[in-house]
Amino acid sequence: MRKEIYGIDLGTTNSCIAEISSLDKLPIVVKNQEDLQTTPSVVFYDDYGTPIVGGEARRCMAQNPTRAVEAIKREMGNTIYQRKIGSEKITPVKISAMILKKIVDDANMNRTFQGLPEIKDVVITVPAYFGNSARELTKQAGEIAGLNVLALLNEPTAAALSYGLIDKSLEGKTFMVYDLGGGTFDVSIMRLKNGQFETLSTDGDLHLGGKDWDERLADYVLEKCGIKTDYQSIKGLGEGGALIMAVEACKKKLTLNDEAPVKFRYKGRMYINKIRRAEFEELTADLLQKTIDVMYHAMELSSDKKAVIKEIILVGGSSYMPMVKKRLGKEFPHIFLRLDRMEPDLAVAKGAAIHAYNLANVAQPAKVTIVKDLGSRSYGIEVYDPVSKEDRISNLIRRSDPMIFSGVSFFKTYENGATSVWICICESISNDRDIPLEQGTRIFDKSISWGYPVPKNTKIIAEVKRGADGIVHIVVTCQNKSVSFDIEPEQMLSKHHFDKMKKEMSNMQF
């Protein structure tokens, strides 16, 4: 009997869930209870503090955005994020758990009609640029929602799986996945050979997406209408909520039309204005340029500098904007651009479903699989540079290194008579071997002590390993004494809070 595992795209603006069809073994999206393929990633708290999730929450947000939570994915792993709605403390984990529970509950209603058991095992996608904490929190959100999260999958990798299964022309090619979603942007350079995907590099921006285009347009519309304020100043008002929905609708209409109206009410007066596509594209050209800059950086990071990129696959709902394909075509005239065959806003969920199927059916996997993916952060050791007389970071494992990795680095003590040495492990997004201390973040430190003086330049050995689980193991040795570090994704929730949140969630219906 085929084991069922579902794939979930937990998006910044919209989320969806997919499975592999038992008929043709192709991925299909499971519609929600509104008969739509995607569900808005929005939670709204009514006057009684009861959470509402999805489409209804988004409609309520237009009237009272102060009681709505959107784009929470951007805050995943942000330790200083703080917000309250009434007496409810808002956390990225809890909001994400509600969104996951909503889309799974909707899918389960369809399964109940068919006499099938509830969904438990899932694969959830995350931005390739997510750090360890953000990944762990995403996994915890799934567990709080009552799910067994078997794996987290990078979003560009998921999209590539979708295209690779359907389109056989990718075989043997190196290509780039350009994933412009509602709130995040990811780029991965990949290669497909003999049905197996290899990631050559990945890069991204967790605070760049369609939402930024919307806010830029909102500011422009206010200025054009002679209203002396900006969107951020009215964001928490009902008028701000109505405005942002109006400009988003305008943006979508500009995908198919050269001109589209914006209609909104501000301080009791109705404003109507027309926006030309060319006007919108000029207004947001710098945002699009940011994505181009990330693409070039991903090329610099590629583990195969000689590889020729044959295609760019456009993924994410914001890739529908005509300016994206036009600009990329101008920047990369010799690379074929793909925005066909599959809906860009569904490709990630479908890819997650393929990976889920492969996990469950090892004996008979789908025709495309992942052979090598990459991490998203570099980890190094703090060292003293006697030339500059300052501390620096020497990276032991870099973000461009393969997920499964092992290596050895050598260092020396820098003063005579040392009886111990302090080891500090740092995390960074830099791919350079040696970087300034301020470019990293200290995450662990321990002391090695051997109890007797040693001469200057005594050898220190640092060994690093990373397995398929993404956990980085570092062992530092000096004078046959050693300390070890396991850089597991940081668990931000205590067991008490985790169990409490999971119990509360089990009693919620959205």
Side-chain angles (χ1 to χ4, degrees), residues 45-56:
Y45 287 85
D46 66 18
D47 293 338
Y48 301 99
T50 302
I52 301 167
V53 184
E56 185 181 352

Side-chain angles (χ1 to χ4, degrees), residues 395-412:
N395 279 325
L396 307 174
I397 179 171
R398 294 180 290 177
R399 50 181 293 199
S400 62
D401 288 326
M403 182 63 73
I404 299 176
F405 177 87
S406 64
V408 180
S409 299
F410 300 95
F411 305 94
K412 298 176 182 179

Side-chain angles (χ1 to χ4, degrees), residues 192-249:
L192 177 60
K193 188 174 182 180
N194 298 324
Q196 295 186 321
F197 282 102
E198 176 185 6
T199 303
L200 304 181
S201 72
T202 188
D203 202 9
D205 189 332
L206 294 179
H207 291 85
L208 181 64
K211 180 180 172 63
D212 299 284
W213 270 257
D214 298 340
E215 294 185 2
R216 181 69 61 82
L217 183 55
D219 281 338
Y220 180 69
V221 168
L222 288 169
E223 180 184 355
K224 199 172 182 181
C225 292
I227 301 173
K228 299 189 181 301
T229 189
D230 58 20
Y231 172 68
Q232 287 299 323
S233 300
I234 63 172
K235 183 178 180 179
L237 305 176
E239 293 162 322
L243 172 62
I244 203 68
M245 294 187 72
V247 299
E248 184 183 344

Side-chain angles (χ1 to χ4, degrees), residues 140 491-499:
Q140 286 191 328
Q491 182 163 330
M492 306 293 288
L493 296 178
S494 66
K495 187 178 185 304
H496 170 74
H497 284 100
F498 177 85
D499 291 342

Side-chain angles (χ1 to χ4, degrees), residues 6-7 15-20 27-33 35-39 103-104 106-111 114 119 346 349-350:
Y6 280 65
S15 299
C16 68
I17 183 169
E19 65 173 330
I20 296 296
I28 54 172
V29 168
V30 182
K31 292 184 177 181
N32 62 21
Q33 292 310 301
D35 201 35
L36 299 173
Q37 293 181 308
T38 63
T39 298
I103 60 176
V104 170
D106 280 9
N108 278 332
M109 289 185 70
N110 291 327
R111 290 176 64 81
Q114 301 172 48
I119 297 168
L346 305 180
K350 290 182 176 181

